[in-house]
Amino acid sequence: MAIRVMDTPELLSLNKFNVDEKEPHIRLDKSKCRSCQDRPCLVVCPAGLYRLDQEGEINFDHAGCLECGTCRVMCNNKGIQSWNYPRATFGVHYRLG
Amino acid sequence: MSSADKFDAIVVGAGPAGSACAYILAREGKAVLLVERGDSAGAKNVSGGRLYAHALKALGDEFDISGGVERKVAREEIMVMAGNRSITVSYHDPELGGEGQIPNSYTVLRATLDGWMASRGEEAGAILACGIRVDDVLVQDGRVVGVRAGDDEVYADVVVAADGVNSLLAQRAGLIGDIPARNVAVGVKEVIALPSKVIEERFALREDEGAALLMLGCTGGVKGGAFLYTNKESVSLGCVVAPEEVAHKGKPVHRLLQELKLHPAVYPLIEGGETVEYSAHLVSEAGIRGVPGNLHRPGMLLAGDSAGFVINLGYTIRGMDLAILSGVAAARAILAEADPARVGPAYVSELEKLKVLPAMRATRGYVDLMEVPRLYENYPYLAVELFRCLFTVDGDVPARMLDTARGALRSANLSLWQVAKDAWRGLKI
Ligand SMILES: Cc1cc2nc3c(=O)[nH]c(=O)nc-3n(C[C@H](O)[C@H](O)[C@H](O)COP(=O)(O)OP(=O)(O)OC[C@H]3O[C@@H](n4cnc5c(N)ncnc54)[C@H](O)[C@@H]3O)c2cc1C
Ligand code: SF4
């Protein structure tokens, strides 16, 4: 595999994750997101996990989260209802870091 | 964790700050619990990275770092980029590399470094509890007396929060508020595997020597820069940018990194390599202004990133060394003061003695200079344009130096007056 441009799904596929299917560590209040004009999350998440669906609503998938906290510090309109680190043993596991 | 336990100290977070603190305390006979949410120390952590070695002295002569580090940095490079063009300044110094002894800095990968440092703490007698997320601090009569993780409660005389830049614990304890976006940058990085021989050839290094390359002008005008560090058998290539400006300009940071990989001056350095990991992390950018007014409250101290101890000067970034020093400062304060009420003030005076706070204060002006938006596009363009004029021979009658400079200024969208003001600002520091 040569050096080339990769999109986030491919980049994330290189990492080791243990996804917590029961308890997402980041929860959105969709009603707040609906009225948010800025939506910085769509651009700033380095894992590209915030996306617009066909209805123009923000869709978020916590699997693949790198736990960086960028969305947490950038979300001004409180669309992120709660942000915590994943429960112990869950989330990303960097083998190199 | 059983509720009957009471420790002399609980250290939350097995990064450099936490492990340094736990190591010193355990070595001096204290009962220490080092709690880490990752399955192993380092599993959640990311840096560029290089570790400035001076901080290790504070851990004592007997502290062995050999298994935690990659290469000794003997080559320092700065690359200024504009479009496809670039200028590189390269400084090679075998003495920087320590010539077989202690170097100025080591390149590091955090899973290895943090794992190694936490093990030294464990060896000294600290109890390392990985795979446990601390959820809150326990407070009695206004004093922090322990921590809660799930249903477990554990008690200690002192809790040291060494839980990193996005410190939920410091917030829980009321020592910091919401983290302002302008105080942080987000960094992304790919670790790209390459054979060690190839690395040594490409960067003109001896076997255990390493290179550090900092790049400016590759962030599409957004405040930030990029880095490349050579590890033993990989290079770490990444970008660090201000998230507010990224949101404003609309180009995601991972895209900037993908473009950087294909840049004509960068691609030859990583060609043939294979990306094996992709990571992201916040880093504190506010310098002394990002340090909370209170670094302690009764029963609790903030160390490392949770206290904002990072100095980013563009060409150097110091976080891990300050983390280690502040971890040591916390340990020394706990060892020195039997009276818990005096531990906090003692910590601050240890931070002064170990030059953590003085270094943070001294670099205030640099941090301000980094705010100059022209640093990230106009000046790189100006520099590259001047070099282009210098090296281009097209058979025409050569222009006068002054005219060349004027032309370059104009095409970089800069006025002489602006340049003079910025230069004065830089010289005043
Ligand atoms: C892209 C990038 C490049 C950088 N480059 C450099 C560089 O080249 N040189 C340099 O010196 N510095 C660099 N830094 C800064 C450096 O990484 C940090 O300053 C340093 O890691 C701080 O160490 P720390 O121990 O305070 O925190 P961390 O290393 O962040 O450790 C905190 C630990 O606490 C754990 N934790 C967090 N919350 C909990 C909880 N609730 N319960 C249990 N455990 C918890 C985490 O899992 C983690 O292990 C860089 C940073 C970034 C993001
Ligand atoms: S923490 Fe980082 S990686 Fe996870 S969703 Fe937020 S911005 Fe994306």
Side-chain angles (χ1 to χ4, degrees):
Chain A
M1 283 220 286
I3 296 295
R4 65 200 150 74
V5 170
M6 297 192 224
D7 205 354
T8 44
E10 187 182 6
L11 288 166
L12 296 175
S13 75
L14 303 170
N15 293 352
K16 188 176 159 193
F17 289 101
N18 181 14
V19 181
D20 189 345
E21 306 287 359
K22 279 208 194 112
E23 255 186 50
H25 61 288
I26 299 172
R27 287 175 202 269
L28 304 189
D29 176 346
K30 289 275 176 78
S31 64
K32 294 254 169 62
C33 297
R34 227 167 272 143
S35 56
C36 175
Q37 300 290 312
D38 309 338
R39 300 185 164 180
C41 53
L42 293 173
V43 180
V44 298
C45 170
L49 300 178
Y50 294 83
R51 288 172 190 250
L52 283 184
D53 66 14
Q54 282 166 344
E55 277 79 56
E57 285 219 0
I58 289 187
N59 240 319
F60 172 69
D61 182 3
H62 71 284
C65 175
L66 301 168
E67 300 164 33
C68 66
T70 310
C71 56
R72 178 172 192 245
V73 299
M74 284 297 294
C75 179
N76 289 325
N77 298 326
K78 304 274 178 263
I80 297 181
Q81 196 172 38
S82 63
W83 194 109
N84 200 344
Y85 289 115
R87 286 191 293 163
T89 75
F90 289 109
V92 68
H93 184 112
Y94 292 124
R95 291 163 285 113
L96 301 158
Chain B
M1 295 204 286
S2 105
S3 52
D5 294 331
K6 165 132 196 245
F7 290 88
D8 294 320
I10 297 172
V11 181
V12 182
S19 286
C21 181
Y23 170 77
I24 300 284
L25 286 172
R27 191 189 66 191
E28 302 305 319
K30 294 285 179 188
V32 190
L33 178 64
L34 176 59
V35 195
E36 166 58 44
R37 70 185 182 91
D39 272 347
S40 52
K44 302 288 187 184
N45 300 345
V46 185
S47 80
R50 78 150 100 210
L51 167 64
Y52 286 101
H54 67 93
L56 299 169
K57 285 190 217 129
L59 295 168
D61 289 340
E62 75 290 353
F63 190 88
D64 168 26
I65 197 69
S66 59
V69 291
E70 296 284 319
R71 289 173 183 267
K72 300 172 176 175
V73 178
R75 183 177 295 284
E76 299 279 354
E77 297 191 328
I78 296 175
M79 190 188 283
V80 177
M81 306 152 101
N84 279 337
R85 300 177 279 161
S86 58
I87 304 164
T88 306
V89 179
S90 182
Y91 174 66
H92 182 255
D93 180 351
E95 265 175 44
L96 262 191
E99 296 206 274
Q101 302 188 359
I102 297 180
N104 182 55
S105 66
Y106 296 100
T107 57
V108 297
L109 288 167
R110 294 297 298 274
T112 318
L113 175 71
D114 294 10
W116 178 267
M117 285 193 64
S119 298
R120 303 284 75 70
E122 233 183 338
E123 230 170 54
I127 297 177
L128 172 65
C130 288
I132 293 172
R133 182 189 73 189
V134 169
D135 293 315
D136 212 342
V137 289
L138 301 171
V139 181
Q140 269 170 24
D141 303 326
R143 230 185 99 70
V144 173
V145 293
V147 299
R148 183 178 65 73
D151 296 330
D152 285 325
E153 295 186 344
V154 198
Y155 294 85
D157 289 336
V158 188
V159 172
V160 179
D163 56 338
V165 51
N166 185 20
S167 174
L168 301 188
L169 222 57
Q171 288 177 332
R172 287 265 174 190
L175 284 167
I176 62 172
D178 284 344
I179 299 162
R182 61 185 303 273
N183 279 9
V184 292
V186 52
V188 293
K189 157 172 128 173
E190 285 183 35
V191 179
I192 300 169
L194 275 171
S196 52
K197 276 270 166 296
V198 173
I199 293 174
E200 284 145 25
E201 269 170 34
R202 284 186 190 170
F203 292 88
L205 301 166
R206 289 200 306 224
E207 205 181 304
D208 62 344
E209 283 182 350
L213 165 62
L214 280 309
M215 291 163 263
L216 191 67
C218 54
T219 49
V222 165
K223 181 188 175 194
F227 59 81
L228 185 155
Y229 295 99
T230 60
N231 306 310
K232 279 182 188 145
E233 297 195 307
S234 63
V235 301
S236 298
L237 178 70
C239 281
V240 181
V241 287
E244 280 187 325
E245 293 188 25
V246 166
H248 182 65
K249 294 239 169 165
K251 186 181 275 187
V253 56
H254 48 87
R255 266 270 174 88
L256 288 172
L257 178 56
Q258 298 310 308
E259 285 172 12
L260 182 67
K261 277 161 56 180
L262 299 187
H263 189 280
V266 175
Y267 182 78
L269 302 174
I270 56 174
E271 190 177 1
E274 188 182 340
T275 301
V276 287
E277 193 168 81
Y278 174 65
S279 53
H281 205 280
L282 289 180
V283 56
S284 179
E285 288 272 278
I288 188 79
R289 271 186 260 281
V291 175
N294 268 328
L295 293 167
H296 55 85
R297 58 173 278 185
M300 183 167 174
L301 309 175
L302 301 184
D305 269 11
S306 71
F309 295 146
V310 178
I311 297 175
N312 184 358
L313 305 184
Y315 56 94
T316 61
I317 164 159
R318 295 177 55 188
M320 290 180 278
D321 58 333
L322 298 180
I324 291 172
L325 290 176
S326 61
V328 171
R332 287 188 184 168
I334 293 167
L335 291 167
E337 291 295 342
D339 175 4
R342 303 247 288 266
V343 172
Y347 173 49
V348 176
S349 83
E350 289 294 338
L351 287 170
E352 294 288 346
K353 280 189 219 152
L354 285 165
K355 301 190 191 126
V356 175
L357 289 172
M360 297 283 310
R361 283 194 294 267
T363 46
R364 182 194 289 260
Y366 286 95
V367 176
D368 292 348
L369 197 64
M370 296 290 139
E371 296 284 324
V372 172
R374 293 169 289 284
L375 270 182
Y376 306 102
E377 201 160 27
N378 311 61
Y379 285 122
Y381 187 90
L382 175 66
V384 168
E385 184 60 16
L386 282 172
F387 272 68
R388 189 188 65 79
C389 296
L390 200 67
F391 290 120
T392 305
V393 176
D394 55 7
D396 235 337
V397 181
R400 290 190 322 153
M401 224 24 215
L402 197 63
D403 293 334
T404 307
R406 277 209 193 104
L409 275 174
R410 214 176 308 120
S411 58
N413 254 328
L414 288 164
S415 68
L416 198 53
W417 173 235
Q418 189 58 287
V419 176
K421 273 203 302 191
D422 289 338
W424 176 240
R425 220 172 139 174
L427 288 171
K428 267 195 319 195
I429 293 173

